[in-house]
Amino acid sequence: PVASEGGAGENEDESHESILEEEEEELKKVGGWMTVAAVALMVFTAYQMSENPDGVCASLCRLAITVIGCIVKIILIPFKYVLGGGRPSGGHYMATPDYRDPYGSRHMELT
């Protein structure tokens, strides 16, 4: 009885290994196709951003980038304080343009 149990265990191991190999091959195929699809969608997004910067796709991309940036900053707050970053000593936190001055100079010369 002991010899037959060992033989059944070997067949079971072989079938399990073949199933794992098949799954790995399938995962490689799916991963390859997902990579191709991701690259194609990135190219489409870049095209939409350049051709229609005020469109829905561009707005969603800007929103996603803003949200991801905010989440990353929130996650990094403890590290910033531990490393001594704290708040900046200067007045403004962000470099924002002065919207009251659209051309960069308050004194324009009319010719």
Side-chain angles (χ1 to χ4, degrees), residues 9 12 15 27-28 30 36-37 41 53-54 67 70-71 75 78 83 85 89 98 102 107:
E12 214 173 273
S15 66
L27 284 174
K28 286 180 184 178
V30 170
V36 169
L41 288 173
D54 295 328
V67 168
C70 182
I71 291 170
I75 290 172
L83 296 175
S89 59
D98 187 8
H107 306 289

Side-chain angles (χ1 to χ4, degrees), residues 48 52-62:
Q48 285 295 318
N52 192 6
D54 295 328
V56 174
C57 184
S59 296
L60 289 176
C61 287
R62 284 191 293 273

Side-chain angles (χ1 to χ4, degrees), residues 23-38:
E23 287 178 357
E24 286 177 7
E25 288 297 320
E26 191 172 323
L27 284 174
K28 286 180 184 178
K29 288 179 186 176
V30 170
W33 281 112
M34 289 191 72
T35 301
V36 169

